[in-house]
């Protein structure tokens, strides 16, 4: 018997020793927790400070007239005291998030045990613990910590929760929670959520609405009523079940809560102005240094002009095509920006991001380089065959006109003259001119570059034309005029810079002379709006891109039309669709502005030169005769491409010139009629008295 009792004594001895060690360890841990809670308690701010602690930065964006066009970042509603919060909202939140809220000291041991058991079952699956956080813990995480998952963060969260419960009442903690928790869609707090989803303050929430809001906390993006109404209603049904289980509502109240009848506030439609805000707002990082305070951002966008721009692009773009428009005021203020037909369908901004070949619109750099080198609009040139190291550009009409002047060559987009000017002034000089005027994309210096084979951005090309309109002074597009804090403190205000002169005023005036002639009598006639306009069309030989850029009465506008997949579009030949879109928009944009005459009057080109067919019948305005790499295209290839185009009754088919009436004689009388001038009256005014 003595031998058998000896092992039992050892077991008992080790058991007692283990219990003592465990007790000491437990007491030590308890003391450590108490000490940590006391320290945390002493470091907690007062209740008013907790109420004002920020959740993030809210940005309100204003149009040029001061109206708010979009709010970004977190949205905070009115702070509601506990007594102002509907009881059904409190009961719904407690039943869903923490049913033992009024019983635990800030940390729920039962909930933690259940979460630990679930974690054991899921071990190795990579899934996180769920269901262990009380409402108090969520408050501490939202205010003091972050959502990163680690054991260290979890321990700090529990210590702070215990301290929070010692310092504040349950009602105060619930008030903090309900006014700060995130409900999705940028809404923080029940008042912001109620206004966003139901269109009224949280003080008037009923049971079904409270159930929907309470159901959002678990996964705001998944259960958002505006994103998935069916999922939100399904989750709200679960909330009602929990409220009934916890005795907060009766079975009859649950049955009377008709979730399907809840009326959701309509979501404001996304529109093309978001192309502008997506471009402008990232610039805040370089303009100001204020990461926390709510911001009021005042912009240049004119909502009336933006609406007209959107309508103009949509009206002149056919199926399968896209369009873009940028409109600048004389100092570079962006008044309208359309990056595509529909922002919701595609938020890709074709006005600021896409790069496409500009075709003949590029010739402004060729002719400005020539003007700066000493040419004038009246300088004589020869339209004849050109051979530059094997590259032989031709005109789209297939003919040569002999001796003409610079004005005529530009008005009718004569390719051979552009090529000869490139040789005369130097292709690197033309590239330098484009760089000077704000082209930021790579520029090749092959001979074919004079016909626009380098990819460019619409906003850069519009900027270049705006600098010509400003008489050679550099224009930098901008969208933000002023940034203030919510209390009106100014953080940034735009200042116009007129110090950078790109070309002499007479060069810009000469270029304007050429461009107004192109609109009045040449390839850009579709852009006429009943007042002086200067501009240039641009289409590529394959019909992949159509452009028109021009200015009038202080507004410069660029339009691009084409397909995202860069497939040819026969309807683009001649650049008429972009020019019509320009005209449709500009008629609205300048309607309330005084008519501004250019410094140079429209001068008649040499009438003997018939315009390219594209001016009347929709052919390419530059007859590029090169592929996307600037290499020559043989005539046989061109004919093959033409045979692939629609014919017959197709609306996109190129009409037969023989079926059209002969174009009128381009003499001075015709010019006067187009511009509404009374030439006889002008001559009488010029006679001495």
């Amino acid at each position: 018997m003595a031998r058998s009792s000896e092992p039992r004594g050892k077991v008992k001895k080790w058991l007692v020793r283990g219990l003592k060690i465990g007790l000491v360890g437990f007491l030590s841990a308890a003391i450590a927790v108490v000490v940590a809670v006391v320290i945390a308690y002493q470091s907690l701010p007062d209740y008013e400070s907790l109420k004002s602690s920020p959740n993030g930065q809210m940005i309100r964006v204003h149009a040029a007239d001061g109206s708010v066009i979009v709010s970004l970042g977190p949205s905070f509603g009115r702070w509601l005291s506990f007594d102002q919060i509907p009881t059904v909202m409190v009961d719904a939140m407690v039943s869903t998030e923490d049913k033992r809220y009024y019983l635990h000291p800030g940390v729920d041991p039962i909930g933690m045990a259940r979460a630990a058991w679930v974690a054991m079952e899921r071990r190795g699956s990579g899934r996180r613990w769920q269901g262990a956080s009380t409402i108090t813990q969520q408050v501490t995480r939202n205010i003091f910590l972050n959502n990163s998952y680690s054991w260290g963060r979890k321990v700090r969260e529990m210590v702070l929760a215990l301290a929070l419960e010692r310092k504040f009442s349950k009602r105060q903690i619930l008030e903090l929670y309900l006014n700060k928790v995130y409900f999705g869609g940028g809404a923080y707090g029940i008042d912001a959520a109620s206004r966003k989803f139901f269109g009224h303050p949280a003080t008037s929430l009923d049971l079904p609405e409270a159930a929907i809001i309470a159901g959002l906390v678990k996964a705001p993006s998944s259960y958002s009523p505006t994103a998935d109404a069916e999922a939100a209603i399904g989750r709200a049904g679960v909330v009602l079940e929990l409220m009934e289980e916890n005795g907060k509502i009766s079975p009859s109240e649950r049955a009377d809560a008709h979730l399907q009848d809840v009326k959701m506030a309509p979501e404001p439609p996304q529109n093309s102005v978001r192309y502008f805000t997506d471009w402008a707002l990232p610039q805040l990082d370089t303009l100001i240094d204020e990461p926390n305070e709510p911001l009021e951002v005042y912009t240049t966008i004119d909502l009336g002009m933006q609406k007209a721009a959107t309508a103009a692009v949509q009206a002149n773009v056919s199926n399968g095509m896209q369009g873009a428009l940028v409109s600048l005021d004389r100092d570079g203020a962006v008044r309208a920006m359309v990056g595509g037909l529909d922002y919701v369908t595609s938020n890709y901004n074709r006005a600021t991001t896409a790069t496409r070949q500009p075709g003949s619109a590029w010739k402004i750099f060729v002719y400005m380089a020539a003007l700066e080198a000493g040419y004038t609009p009246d300088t004589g040139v020869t339209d004849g065959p050109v051979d530059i190291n094997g590259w032989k550009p031709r005109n789209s009409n297939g003919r040569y006109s002999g001796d003409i002047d610079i004005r005529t060559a530009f008005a009718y987009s004569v390719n051979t003259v552009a090529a000869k000017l490139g040789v005369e002034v130097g292709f690197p000089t033309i590239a330098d001119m484009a760089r000077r005027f704000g082209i930021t994309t790579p520029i090749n210096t092959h001979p074919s570059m004079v016909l626009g084979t380098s990819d460019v951005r619409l906003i850069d090309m519009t900027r270049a034309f705006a600098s010509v309109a400003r008489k050679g002074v550099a224009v930098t597009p901008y969208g933000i005029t002023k940034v203030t804090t919510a209390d009106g403190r100014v953080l940034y205000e735009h200042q116009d810079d007129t110090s950078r002169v790109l070309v002499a005023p007479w060069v810009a005036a000469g270029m304007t002379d050429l461009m107004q002639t192109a609109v009045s009598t040449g390839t850009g006639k579709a852009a006429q709006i009943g007042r002086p306009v200067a501009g240039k069309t641009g289409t590529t030989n394959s019909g992949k891109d159509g452009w028109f850029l021009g200015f009038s009465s202080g507004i410069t506008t660029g339009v691009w039309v084409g397909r995202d997949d860069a497939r040819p579009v026969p309807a683009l030949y001649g650049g008429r669709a972009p020019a019509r879109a320009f005209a449709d928009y500009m008629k609205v944009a300048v309607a309330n502005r005084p008519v501004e005459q250019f410094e140079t009057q429209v001068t008649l080109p040499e009438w003997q030169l018939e315009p390219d067919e594209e001016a009347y019948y929709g052919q390419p305005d530059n007859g590029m005769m090169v592929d996307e790499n600037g290499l020559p295209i043989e005539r046989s290839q061109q004919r093959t491409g033409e045979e692939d185009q629609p014919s017959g009754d197709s609306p996109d088919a190129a009409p037969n010139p023989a079926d059209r009436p002969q174009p009128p004689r381009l003499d001075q009388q015709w010019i006067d009629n187009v511009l509404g001038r009374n030439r006889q009256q002008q001559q009488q005014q010029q006679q001495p008295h």
Side-chain angles (χ1 to χ4, degrees), residues 202-490:
T203 51
S204 57
L205 285 168
D206 58 22
L207 177 58
E209 292 171 339
I212 291 175
I213 289 181
L216 296 175
V217 177
K218 181 179 180 181
S221 60
S222 300
Y223 298 121
S224 171
T226 55
D228 192 339
E230 185 176 344
I233 290 174
R235 173 63 180 165
V238 174
V239 174
L240 292 176
E241 290 179 10
L242 293 172
M243 293 181 72
E244 183 184 352
E245 289 177 8
N246 294 330
K248 299 301 181 182
I249 59 174
S250 64
S252 61
E253 287 176 315
R254 178 189 170 188
D256 292 338
H258 302 296
L259 297 172
Q260 298 289 348
D261 295 338
V262 175
K263 293 184 178 180
M264 304 293 181
E267 186 78 0
Q270 298 283 355
N271 53 51
S272 64
V273 77
R274 288 298 304 273
Y275 288 113
F276 170 77
T277 56
D278 288 354
W279 169 77
L281 291 181
Q283 301 169 25
L284 286 174
D285 290 340
T286 61
L287 301 179
I288 62 171
D289 183 17
E290 178 49 71
N292 298 316
E293 284 198 54
L295 299 178
E296 303 288 337
V297 180
Y298 296 88
T299 71
T300 59
I301 201 75
D302 183 298
L303 295 182
M305 295 169 71
Q306 180 70 22
K307 182 179 179 181
T310 303
V313 171
Q314 292 176 345
N316 290 280
V317 173
S318 57
N319 293 336
M321 295 166 59
Q322 276 288 353
L325 181 150
V326 175
S327 187
L328 307 179
D329 216 324
R330 63 180 83 245
D331 67 340
V334 177
R335 298 304 184 193
M337 178 181 287
V338 178
L341 293 183
D342 180 39
Y343 181 86
V344 176
T345 304
S346 171
N347 60 12
Y348 179 65
N349 195 333
R350 297 156 187 84
T352 61
T353 305
T355 58
R356 305 296 286 258
Q357 290 186 353
S360 282
W362 180 268
K363 290 178 181 176
I364 69 160
F365 304 122
V366 178
Y367 281 80
M368 273 198 293
L371 292 172
E372 193 172 59
Y375 284 80
T376 71
D378 298 313
T379 299
V381 289
T382 301
D383 174 18
V386 177
D387 186 341
I388 306 174
N389 298 325
W391 180 58
K392 301 176 181 180
R394 292 181 289 269
N395 300 319
S396 60
N397 60 12
R399 301 188 300 273
Y400 302 110
S401 302
D403 293 336
I404 57 176
D405 58 27
I406 288 289
R407 181 180 290 105
T408 304
F410 185 86
Y412 300 118
S413 205
V414 178
N415 291 326
T416 59
V417 172
K420 291 179 178 180
L421 292 177
V423 174
E424 289 290 331
V425 302
F427 303 112
T429 302
I430 297 170
D432 176 71
M433 181 65 72
R435 283 266 177 261
R436 207 188 307 176
F437 273 76
I439 300 302
T440 58
T441 45
I443 302 172
N444 71 66
T445 53
H446 303 307
S448 61
M449 63 95 73
V450 298
L451 303 183
T453 57
S454 296
D455 289 342
V456 294
R457 296 184 178 92
L458 175 60
I459 193 169
D460 289 349
M461 288 294 290
T462 309
R463 172 187 186 180
F465 276 72
S467 297
V468 175
R470 208 180 189 186
K471 302 178 182 180
V473 176
V475 169
T476 301
Y478 72 97
I480 297 174
T481 58
K482 185 171 67 171
V483 182
T484 71
T485 58
D487 59 4
R489 181 166 56 92
V490 177

Side-chain angles (χ1 to χ4, degrees), residues 401-676:
S401 302
D403 293 336
I404 57 176
D405 58 27
I406 288 289
R407 181 180 290 105
T408 304
F410 185 86
Y412 300 118
S413 205
V414 178
N415 291 326
T416 59
V417 172
K420 291 179 178 180
L421 292 177
V423 174
E424 289 290 331
V425 302
F427 303 112
T429 302
I430 297 170
D432 176 71
M433 181 65 72
R435 283 266 177 261
R436 207 188 307 176
F437 273 76
I439 300 302
T440 58
T441 45
I443 302 172
N444 71 66
T445 53
H446 303 307
S448 61
M449 63 95 73
V450 298
L451 303 183
T453 57
S454 296
D455 289 342
V456 294
R457 296 184 178 92
L458 175 60
I459 193 169
D460 289 349
M461 288 294 290
T462 309
R463 172 187 186 180
F465 276 72
S467 297
V468 175
R470 208 180 189 186
K471 302 178 182 180
V473 176
V475 169
T476 301
Y478 72 97
I480 297 174
T481 58
K482 185 171 67 171
V483 182
T484 71
T485 58
D487 59 4
R489 181 166 56 92
V490 177
L491 301 177
Y492 166 80
E493 196 157 11
H494 176 78
Q495 300 293 329
D496 187 21
D497 179 13
T498 59
S499 62
R500 292 181 57 235
V501 178
L502 305 179
V503 291
W506 57 267
V507 174
M511 194 68 241
T512 302
D513 180 342
L514 300 181
M515 287 195 289
Q516 65 174 329
T517 305
V519 173
S520 299
T521 68
T523 61
K525 291 194 302 297
Q528 294 172 2
I529 60 173
R531 61 171 70 196
V533 175
K536 185 72 181 76
T537 55
T539 53
T540 56
N541 181 68
S542 54
K544 295 179 180 178
D545 302 283
W547 300 70
F548 186 85
L549 302 105
F551 48 86
S552 178
S553 301
I555 295 291
T556 302
T557 300
V559 180
W560 168 86
V561 175
R563 291 178 59 101
D564 284 337
D565 59 9
R567 288 172 55 189
V569 182
L572 285 183
Y573 286 171
R576 296 191 65 186
R580 285 195 300 263
F582 171 91
D584 291 347
Y585 164 73
M586 288 291 283
K587 288 173 184 176
V588 177
V590 302
N592 296 322
R593 294 183 173 225
V595 176
E596 296 183 15
Q597 299 293 338
F598 297 125
E599 292 183 353
T600 57
Q601 292 293 322
V602 174
T603 304
L604 180 69
E606 296 180 7
W607 64 266
Q608 293 89 346
L609 173 61
E610 293 182 7
D612 290 347
E613 289 179 347
E614 69 84 17
Y616 295 100
Y617 306 123
Q619 297 300 316
D621 78 330
N622 65 350
M624 188 182 292
M625 307 303 176
V626 293
D627 61 18
E628 287 74 8
N629 299 313
L631 300 176
I633 296 178
E634 295 299 326
R635 194 69 179 177
S636 59
Q637 291 178 274
Q638 300 231 341
R639 286 195 296 269
T640 301
E642 291 168 1
E643 292 168 0
D644 293 336
Q645 295 171 16
S647 59
D649 297 330
S650 169
D652 288 337
N656 184 353
D659 298 333
R660 301 277 187 151
Q662 282 297 104
R665 180 185 177 92
L666 301 184
D667 55 13
Q668 188 63 53
Q669 183 179 359
W670 184 85
I671 291 277
D672 293 339
N673 291 335
V674 169
L675 299 181

